[in-house]
Amino acid sequence: MQDKILLKGWILGIALLGGCFHTAFAQDSVHINLKKAIEIALDESPTIKVANRTIEAKRYNKREAVLALFPDANLSGSYNYTLKKQTMVFQNQAFEVGTDVNVSGGLSVSMPLISAALWKNVKLNDMGVEMALESARSSKINLINQVKSYYYTMLYARETFQVLEQNYNNAKLNYENVKNRFDVGRASEFELLRAEVNMKNQKPNVTAAESSIRLATLTLKVLIGVDVDEPIIFDGSLKDYENEILNASIPRLADLSLENNSSMKQMELNAQQLQKSLEITQVSSLPSLFASGSYNYIGMGDGMNPSDYNWNPYAMVGLSLSIPLVSWVTTNYKVKSTRLSLESIKDQQAELEQNLRISLNNTIVNLENAIEDLQSNKETVSQAQRAYEISQKQYEIGACTWLDLNASEVALINSNLAYLQSLYKYLTAAAELEATLGTSNE
């Protein structure tokens, strides 16, 4: 009796332990969709972290430039012990002058009153912050575009594998049917050999597609910043986007604006920074006026006791005016050089805008073609599936040859791959359009 109870206890324990292992294993894999993948990438990407640090550094530079407009105060002090006093000669008599110890300490203050270059420099640092912010936005847009593209690539590889695997299973099933017919004398050895060769020819395609899935998955993991050994299951399917694509409206090229394109914005900010640099160069040849003041205490005496020294205060205030006399010559050359750079940037802006317009036009064409292909391929897949099923039935009853069956099988796989290709082509083109327009979002 006790043995039976003990046995039941062992069985129950093993069952509970197995359930725990199953639960732990089930929790190992993390499911991530496209939106979550983008969120992780934005949090973990080194590129985004570097861009954020650059923004902070530019803000510190701006504060440093602003502080240059405020009074600058310095405390100073000195202590001198005379080893050999200076000798003076008066009426052919020499005598030493000075004290053994000289001590001084005080506060000095200075501030700019008129300095156009400093004010312009503050504005230039403001634009440096704007450039850092735009550069960070560009990094974010590019990262989102890359995550989307690689996510779609991973889905495309996975679903291509499923199509090829299904085709391999069909070829295997056909081989078994031909073999059964051959065993009863209803199929020739030639048909059997061709069916076997066809089945074996499909296996390398399945293996290659499986390798593509692993490569695409590893690349996506690296891109979003997670460990490549992390057990992650990426959710979704290209087919999930079918209705969205078929109901999508393609924008006209004339309606698209490049005002949010990051490359255009950065080039415009470059032009503005260069303009500010030109202004700084021009005003650097103007007079500058600075105010200064100091208050010091000077002590002199012999010995080491400061209370025996003679202490005297010394204070002063003043203005200093600086008028460049010769620098205007080099300034003139710098101004001419900067203006040439500005003209070059304008030409580069025009060229960039033209190239972006061409890229937008190509993207729109790709979107339109992808929709047309999808509408056609969707119907073709249904027809090819039906034709393959009919060929299978006909071959089973001897109403068609193995070549007819193989042709319908090839047509089915090609139509499925073309269907997936049209989905993938649209999604990647749409992601590229968002990135070009600067409207990529999570």
Side-chain angles (χ1 to χ4, degrees):
M1 183 67 178
Q2 291 180 349
D3 293 340
K4 291 183 178 179
I5 295 175
L6 182 61
L7 180 60
K8 290 181 178 178
W10 274 103
I11 294 174
L12 179 61
I14 292 173
L16 291 174
L17 186 61
C20 292
F21 278 130
H22 176 74
T23 302
F25 180 79
Q27 292 176 348
D28 281 345
S29 297
V30 179
H31 287 260
I32 294 178
N33 57 20
L34 176 57
K35 182 178 180 181
K36 187 63 178 178
I38 293 175
E39 291 176 358
I40 295 174
L42 293 177
D43 289 337
E44 301 297 331
S45 171
T47 302
I48 301 300
K49 292 179 180 178
V50 170
N52 290 335
R53 292 192 195 103
T54 303
I55 293 173
E56 288 300 311
K58 292 297 182 181
R59 285 173 175 164
Y60 290 143
N61 292 340
K62 175 187 174 182
R63 293 167 189 169
E64 180 183 357
V66 171
L67 288 176
L69 301 173
F70 288 84
D72 183 26
N74 293 285
L75 286 173
S76 62
S78 66
Y79 174 89
N80 296 302
Y81 184 83
T82 304
L83 297 177
K84 176 64 177 175
K85 295 181 182 179
Q86 186 177 6
T87 301
M88 296 187 65
V89 178
F90 182 71
Q91 294 182 352
N92 295 325
Q93 292 184 355
F95 55 91
E96 294 181 339
V97 296
T99 58
D100 291 339
V101 178
N102 292 275
V103 181
S104 66
L107 173 69
S108 61
V109 180
S110 65
M111 71 171 294
L113 297 179
I114 301 174
S115 180
L118 288 178
W119 286 102
K120 295 292 184 181
N121 192 51
V122 172
K123 296 292 184 182
L124 182 61
N125 278 276
D126 277 339
M127 301 189 64
V129 175
E130 290 184 40
M131 175 61 79
L133 288 170
E134 184 57 38
S135 179
R137 190 178 79 93
S138 176
S139 298
K140 180 179 177 181
I141 291 173
N142 291 334
L143 180 61
I144 292 174
N145 179 46
Q146 288 179 354
V147 172
K148 285 184 176 181
S149 297
Y150 279 107
Y151 202 97
Y152 297 144
T153 300
M154 183 275 303
L155 294 179
Y156 178 64
R158 189 166 67 190
E159 293 177 53
T160 298
F161 167 76
Q162 293 171 356
V163 171
L164 295 175
E165 186 180 39
Q166 181 61 45
N167 181 66
Y168 173 74
N169 292 334
N170 290 340
K172 187 176 180 181
L173 179 61
N174 289 337
Y175 167 73
E176 292 174 354
N177 290 335
V178 174
K179 188 175 184 305
N180 292 333
R181 290 168 57 86
F182 174 78
D183 291 339
V184 296
R186 297 179 58 191
S188 65
E189 183 179 3
F190 179 72
E191 286 181 304
L192 178 63
L193 290 173
R194 296 195 66 170
E196 184 176 5
V197 170
N198 181 61
M199 177 187 67
K200 292 181 178 179
N201 284 340
Q202 304 307 318
K203 189 61 178 177
N205 296 332
V206 176
T207 303
E210 194 172 12
S211 298
S212 297
I213 295 176
R214 286 196 296 268
L215 179 60
T217 302
L218 289 176
T219 304
L220 184 57
K221 286 181 178 180
V222 171
L223 184 62
I224 66 177
V226 300
D227 193 275
V228 293
D229 295 324
E230 190 76 20
I232 294 176
I233 297 177
F234 293 102
D235 295 333
S237 168
L238 291 179
K239 297 177 183 178
D240 297 339
Y241 298 94
E242 180 185 294
N243 291 333
E244 177 185 338
I245 295 174
L246 292 176
N247 295 325
S249 57
I250 306 300
R252 296 187 308 166
L253 181 62
D255 296 334
L256 297 179
S257 172
L258 292 170
E259 63 179 2
N260 288 323
N261 178 269
S262 187
S263 297
M264 291 290 292
K265 279 182 170 290
Q266 290 186 65
M267 191 165 288
E268 178 61 30
L269 287 172
N270 278 331
Q272 294 177 14
Q273 284 182 320
L274 203 56
Q275 181 63 40
K276 286 297 178 184
S277 298
L278 174 62
E279 294 174 4
I280 291 175
T281 302
Q282 290 173 326
V283 300
S284 63
S285 60
L286 297 179
S288 300
L289 182 64
F290 288 80
S292 61
S294 64
Y295 186 87
N296 298 274
Y297 254 95
I298 301 175
M300 295 181 292
D302 298 321
M304 302 302 293
N305 189 359
S307 62
D308 295 335
Y309 299 166
N310 292 319
W311 292 94
N312 298 289
Y314 170 73
M316 62 155 294
V317 293
L319 296 173
S320 62
L321 179 65
S322 175
I323 304 176
L325 295 179
V326 183
S327 63
W328 64 270
V329 178
T330 57
T331 298
N332 184 46
Y333 290 126
K334 289 180 181 178
V335 167
K336 290 181 178 180
S337 176
T338 306
R339 284 175 175 167
L340 289 174
S341 298
L342 278 171
E343 292 179 7
S344 297
I345 285 185
K346 291 180 180 179
D347 291 337
Q348 291 171 3
Q349 284 178 307
E351 182 181 10
L352 175 61
E353 183 174 4
Q354 183 179 11
N355 291 335
L356 288 173
R357 287 290 176 185
I358 295 174
S359 176
L360 285 176
N361 183 69
N362 292 337
T363 302
I364 291 175
V365 170
N366 290 336
L367 291 173
E368 292 173 343
N369 292 340
I371 292 179
E372 292 179 3
D373 292 344
L374 178 60
Q375 292 171 340
S376 174
N377 292 332
K378 181 182 178 181
E379 183 179 357
T380 303
V381 167
S382 177
Q383 294 172 342
Q385 181 65 40
R386 180 60 180 159
Y388 177 73
E389 292 173 356
I390 293 174
S391 296
Q392 275 188 317
K393 297 296 183 181
Q394 288 179 337
Y395 184 75
E396 290 175 1
I397 64 175
C400 72
T401 65
W402 180 87
L403 290 176
D404 295 327
L405 177 61
N406 185 62
S408 64
E409 181 183 354
V410 172
L412 177 60
I413 185 175
N414 288 339
S415 61
N416 275 302
L417 292 177
Y419 168 75
L420 293 176
Q421 177 68 27
S422 57
L423 290 171
Y424 175 73
K425 183 178 178 181
Y426 179 91
L427 292 172
T428 52
E432 185 65 29
L433 178 63
E434 290 179 355
T436 304
L437 296 178
T439 58
S440 292
N441 54 61
E442 304 177 33

